[in-house]
Amino acid sequence: MIGIMNKKIANLLGDKAEYYLSHECKTIDKSMVYEPGADIIDRVWMNSDRNVRTLDSLQNLFGHGRLANTGYMSILPVDQGIEHSAGASFAPNPMYFDPENIVKLAIEGGCNAVASTFGVLGAVARRYAHKIPFIVKLNHNELLTYPNSYDQVMFGTVKEAWNMGAVAVGATIYFGSEESRRQIVEVAQAFEYAHELGMATILWCYLRNNGFKKDGTDYHAAADLTGQANHIGATIKADIVKQKLPSNNGGFKAIGFGRTSDRVYTELTTDHPIDLCRYQVANGYMGRVGLINSGGESHGASDLKDAVITAVVNKRAGGMGLISGRKAFQKPMNEGVELLNTIQDVYLDKDITIA
């Protein structure tokens, strides 16, 4: 088995340590992937059309927190108060109704950046925008409207985020939804302006369509469908894409729509989670556009183990990091800090390498 410096990580992986740490990816070879590293700006982004200010903003993101200058990222996202409701999000730990505590958690947790709403970050911008990079989430799925309609709508402007001192803007597209084509246009235009102003861009590439469930199986996190969402995100110039870790594959085949190739399933993927995640990385221009996987909802006692598994899979697949919110802020701050630090330890451990 691959050696591992951090015994806590090995213990959390338990009897699955061999499965995750010794896996060799024989689908898309690691030599084809732009692996994250300290020189990621010079090696990858310098050749793009991003302007000097945008390169500086990307370096700002990569140069902060415990993962500074490693090429990896740990981001605290707290935008759930709009979609899930503030009560659902913060009732487990009411201190996070106060925006300052959200930013404090990101700082104490050693994160590269904090991502949240215009209101949250705006409330404390003068005190904290120069202390930790801000990522302002431009759009949200607002669920107070009754009956609910699932759509991402803009809550503010790119210029407003820039005036706040944000280093980057984030946005969500519900790929596959009836509203997705409008969202693609809106976000593409917003990202173009953000780059013009010198900000980095991060896209939450989520799928949303009841048709993506077939015969009792949910394909919203299928590797082939999420990979295509990532590819569209890269096309509209996301610098980083946020995606759920693949839970299965074969969405195109099961649902019977779109166009794909059998080689996606016979040669480019297996059923191993690292190989499935490698396919997501490949769709982000082989890692030129970084993949950060989401931490998902909090399940209580298993959160630390679940987060470590996601981080190991992401790193060994060639991903750029983790963006974990509810698992961290729905706990007392010291436990949230411990979880964030443990995730970061995966990326700091030189014995955990790309598969």
Side-chain angles (χ1 to χ4, degrees), residues 52-64:
V52 174
R53 288 293 188 186
T54 299
L55 296 178
D56 184 57
S57 291
L58 285 165
Q59 185 58 57
N60 195 342
L61 288 172
F62 284 115
H64 197 86

Side-chain angles (χ1 to χ4, degrees), residues 10 24 28 31 50 58 61 115 126 129 162 169 187 197 210 234 279 326:
E24 295 182 22
I28 299 170
S31 64
R50 273 51 166 186
L58 285 165
L61 288 172
R126 288 184 184 274
W162 183 82
V169 294
V187 173
L197 292 176
N210 287 332
Y279 187 70
R326 282 169 288 174

Side-chain angles (χ1 to χ4, degrees), residues 10 36 43 73 148 160 168 179 186 249 253 257-258 276 333 340:
R43 181 163 43 90
M73 250 179 226
N148 292 158
E160 185 181 354
E179 300 83 8
E186 285 180 350
N249 202 5
K253 296 174 72 174
F257 86 114
L276 295 176
M333 185 173 287
L340 293 169

Side-chain angles (χ1 to χ4, degrees), residues 34-228:
Y34 292 87
E35 186 177 355
D39 62 345
I40 190 74
I41 300 296
D42 292 338
R43 181 163 43 90
V44 175
W45 286 114
M46 191 73 77
N47 298 320
S48 74
D49 64 351
R50 273 51 166 186
N51 62 34
V52 174
R53 288 293 188 186
T54 299
L55 296 178
D56 184 57
S57 291
L58 285 165
Q59 185 58 57
N60 195 342
L61 288 172
F62 284 115
H64 197 86
R66 292 183 74 231
L67 298 182
N69 303 315
T70 63
Y72 291 106
M73 250 179 226
S74 166
I75 298 173
L76 176 71
V78 188
D79 60 325
Q80 292 87 353
I82 306 301
E83 177 172 355
H84 301 282
S85 88
S89 302
F90 304 129
N93 201 354
M95 67 181 289
Y96 290 112
F97 275 107
D98 183 347
E100 186 166 11
N101 288 323
I102 292 172
V103 180
K104 282 182 177 179
L105 175 60
I107 293 173
E108 293 296 319
C111 293
N112 296 69
V114 57
S116 197
T117 66
F118 281 98
V120 164
L121 296 178
V124 294
R126 288 184 184 274
R127 185 167 186 177
Y128 289 105
H130 60 292
K131 295 180 180 178
I132 184 170
F134 277 12
I135 302 167
V136 178
K137 190 79 188 312
L138 296 174
N139 62 2
H140 304 281
N141 179 23
E142 176 272 310
L143 291 184
L144 188 58
T145 302
Y146 186 81
N148 292 158
S149 60
Y150 297 89
D151 190 9
Q152 290 286 334
V153 295
M154 290 291 180
F155 269 55
T157 66
V158 173
K159 189 63 175 292
E160 185 181 354
W162 183 82
N163 283 332
M164 194 188 297
V167 168
V169 294
T172 299
I173 293 176
Y174 280 155
F175 291 100
S177 70
E178 291 183 7
E179 300 83 8
S180 62
R181 290 184 173 177
R182 191 207 78 241
Q183 293 168 14
I184 289 170
V185 172
E186 285 180 350
V187 173
Q189 291 173 343
F191 280 8
E192 179 186 16
Y193 188 37
H195 280 148
E196 183 179 329
L197 292 176
M199 289 188 285
T201 57
I202 303 175
L203 185 63
W204 279 237
C205 292
Y206 287 165
L207 302 176
R208 179 62 68 89
N209 192 312
N210 287 332
F212 292 165
K213 299 176 182 178
K214 184 78 171 180
D215 299 327
T217 301
D218 191 342
Y219 291 97
H220 278 90
D224 54 349
L225 297 183
T226 56
Q228 180 60 19

